[in-house]
Amino acid sequence: MAAPTPTPAPPSSSRRTFLGRLSLPERNYLADALRTETVGGVILLVAAIAALVWANTFYSGYRAVSDFHFGPESLGLNLSVAHWAADGLLAVFFFVAGVELKRELVAGELRDPKAAALPVVAALCGMVVPAVVYTLVNVVGGGSTGGWAVPTATDIAFALAVLAVIGTSLPNALRAFLLTLAVVDDLFAILIIAVFFTEQIDFMALTGAFIGLAVFWLLLRRNVRGWYIYVPLALVIWGLMYNSGIHATIAGVAMGLMLRCTRREGETHSPGEHIEHLIRPLSAGVAVPLFALFSAGVSLSGGALADVFTRPETLGVVLGLVVGKTVGIFGGTWLATRFTKAELNKDLAWADVFAVATLAGIGFTVSLLIGELAFAGDEAMINEIKAAVLLGSLTAAAVAAVLLKLRVRTYRTLHEAEELDEDEDGVPDVYEQDDPEYHLRMAAIHEKKAAEHRRLAQLAGAASNEPDSPA
């Protein structure tokens, strides 16, 4: 039996549908992006578990590998393995984030200011409220407020891995909302890193980085092609940005934002979409998991997890991720719908938005990075902050899994209806209701089925009239 078609929102000139059906191009892009991120998220989980096992069974070996230095000292790049992972590999991750943001701004959910208001407000509230929660806990408890930014980030790969593990087929609109939240979240995380965690600036190196970015932009505008040109140039820009004192991942975002993400006549994919398609597997499957391997290795000996609830800094991180993220995103979304006259999709409920808000409390990758920056030089505190990030993220994941499981039948029904393709032309039927050719194809399919059933009915009737047939 075919799954029911989702109920269309009633037409209205004054009210916009929140979490309504995506356009077909956006649905196809989302499916491709989330497929890669989900696989990467599973690899990320494996890497995080491997780091914990390694750090708690052979900590001296883990530290020896993490602290091993290599690279050209004359260029100021003789870095430890952990440092290369945080500043080098994560630049790839933030490059993809930059391309995602550019595509969202010019061709995706953020291109319409009215439609963009909801996810932007939700993401902002989802960063401000956790920071406020952390700050209040530490002001009351007498802790350091320097880690206020740690619980502000959302890890989309980890969140998608949780969805894959619990087997919840979220409707496309909810998955797109989660992805857009993460994209905006990444933008503000980069701004936080650039503004609040830059102590000294080498203006000569920074000027060189800007010149490199200008050359990068000029080559793109002149349609110059060839990875052998852009990869060496990107490495030079990254090295100069690192030596400038600004976190090197900023270079990745800047280059990602420069790519053209609009399609011209005759193009099936824009250059930005094409490059993102090539680089995303490297980011999700290699760069982020390797960063996790050398950042998530927290020693849990000596009651480290129990201590999370006794120190205001670590307690602030846990409450910021679990409570702050949920309250901020859900509250911001609800308020934004009231002020923008948006109307929630009739097939969904506010409980679904609450569950996604809880899932966004998984703040693994960028939270670990900000924790290292916020408490640089204090290894003991960094270890405890990492333990708090892990515990907070796992708690948010567990709560979200329970909430999502409560609505799993609804999600599966909606997802099946969105993906149903009875005429097998590669386009879901829900997108072809206004196409006469679709209805003609379906009529032919049903006529063929009807003819087959008539033939079977004749055979059954003939069999029932045979002398040996049962009465």
Side-chain angles (χ1 to χ4, degrees):
M1 181 176 177
T5 303
T7 305
S12 172
S13 59
S14 61
R15 297 186 71 84
R16 176 183 299 274
T17 300
F18 171 50
L19 298 179
R21 186 195 307 160
L22 303 177
S23 65
L24 183 59
E26 192 69 12
R27 175 258 179 199
N28 292 337
Y29 168 81
L30 179 76
D32 181 60
L34 295 187
R35 190 180 303 113
T36 303
E37 289 290 352
T38 301
V39 174
V42 174
I43 298 173
L44 174 63
L45 285 176
V46 173
I49 294 170
L52 287 171
V53 171
W54 188 5
N56 286 276
T57 55
F58 190 37
Y59 187 72
S60 60
Y62 180 80
R63 292 310 312 174
V65 175
S66 297
D67 295 337
F68 178 76
H69 282 63
F70 67 96
E73 180 136 17
S74 60
L75 298 178
L77 296 174
N78 185 30
L79 311 179
S80 68
V81 170
H83 210 160
W84 276 111
D87 286 73
L89 292 177
L90 277 194
V92 179
F93 165 77
F94 280 111
F95 172 80
V96 173
V99 179
E100 284 180 340
L101 178 62
K102 178 69 174 288
R103 202 204 71 86
E104 288 287 337
L105 289 169
V106 301
E109 293 295 297
L110 302 180
R111 71 186 183 279
D112 179 0
K114 292 182 180 179
L118 274 165
V120 170
V121 169
L124 275 172
C125 292
M127 299 186 81
V128 171
V129 176
V132 170
V133 169
Y134 176 93
T135 302
L136 287 176
V137 170
N138 281 272
V139 168
V140 173
S144 170
T145 57
W148 63 270
V150 176
T152 60
T154 294
D155 192 313
I156 185 65
F158 205 142
L160 292 173
V162 171
L163 292 178
V165 169
I166 65 177
T168 300
S169 298
L170 281 183
N172 287 329
L174 280 175
R175 295 196 297 164
F177 181 60
L178 181 61
L179 181 61
T180 306
L181 277 177
V183 169
V184 179
D185 192 290
D186 287 340
L187 169 65
F188 288 110
I190 275 293
L191 292 176
I192 288 172
I193 291 171
V195 174
F196 295 99
F197 298 105
T198 300
E199 296 179 356
Q200 295 182 338
I201 297 179
D202 183 331
F203 287 98
M204 286 291 290
L206 185 60
T207 301
F210 281 145
I211 292 173
L213 288 170
V215 172
F216 188 88
W217 179 85
L218 186 61
L219 291 174
L220 289 173
R221 291 302 168 270
R222 292 184 176 269
N223 294 319
V224 175
R225 299 177 182 271
W227 64 267
Y228 46 85
I229 296 174
Y230 289 103
V231 171
L233 178 58
L235 291 174
V236 170
I237 295 170
W238 175 87
L240 288 168
M241 189 69 76
Y242 175 83
N243 280 288
S244 74
I246 296 177
H247 203 271
T249 53
I250 305 296
V253 174
M255 287 183 280
L257 287 171
M258 289 182 181
L259 295 179
R260 176 169 63 83
C261 292
T262 52
R263 300 176 187 178
R264 293 176 179 170
E265 188 176 352
E267 290 183 340
T268 55
H269 299 287
S270 67
E273 290 172 321
H274 176 67
I275 293 173
E276 181 191 12
H277 181 75
L278 295 176
I279 302 298
R280 186 185 288 275
L282 176 64
S283 169
V286 178
V288 175
L290 281 177
F291 167 76
L293 182 63
F294 293 107
S295 290
V298 179
S299 176
L300 302 179
S301 60
L305 289 179
D307 291 342
V308 165
F309 298 101
T310 61
R311 296 199 59 156
E313 294 89 350
T314 50
L315 180 60
V317 169
V318 174
L319 292 178
L321 289 172
V322 178
V323 178
K325 271 288 184 182
T326 304
V327 172
I329 292 174
F330 180 78
T333 304
W334 189 85
L335 288 173
T337 58
R338 303 278 79 79
F339 285 105
T340 59
K341 296 182 179 180
E343 188 174 62
L344 184 66
N345 185 339
K346 298 296 185 182
D347 293 308
L348 298 171
W350 281 106
D352 303 315
V353 180
F354 187 85
V356 170
T358 305
L359 188 65
I362 300 173
F364 188 69
T365 305
V366 180
S367 289
L368 291 176
L369 174 62
I370 294 178
E372 292 180 354
L373 297 173
F375 296 99
D378 188 345
E379 289 298 323
M381 178 59 79
I382 289 175
N383 192 70
E384 292 178 3
I385 289 294
K386 287 181 178 181
V389 169
L390 289 171
L391 186 59
S393 297
L394 289 174
T395 303
V399 174
V402 172
L403 294 176
L404 292 169
K405 275 294 186 182
L406 294 175
R407 296 268 292 168
V408 68
R409 290 185 179 178
T410 300
Y411 297 151
R412 284 177 180 167
T413 300
L414 291 173
H415 183 71
E416 288 170 2
E418 290 174 344
E419 300 301 315
L420 183 66
D421 183 18
E422 283 192 293
D423 60 343
E424 298 181 349
D425 66 342
V427 178
D429 297 342
V430 72
Y431 291 99
E432 299 184 293
Q433 297 304 307
D434 297 328
D435 182 5
E437 294 298 322
Y438 161 75
H439 293 288
L440 291 174
R441 288 194 299 272
M442 289 304 301
I445 290 171
H446 287 302
E447 286 167 3
K448 184 177 180 180
K449 289 181 178 179
E452 177 63 14
H453 282 294
R454 281 192 289 270
R455 185 184 70 81
L456 293 174
Q458 290 175 352
L459 291 176
S464 63
N465 293 328
E466 292 180 2
D468 294 336
S469 62

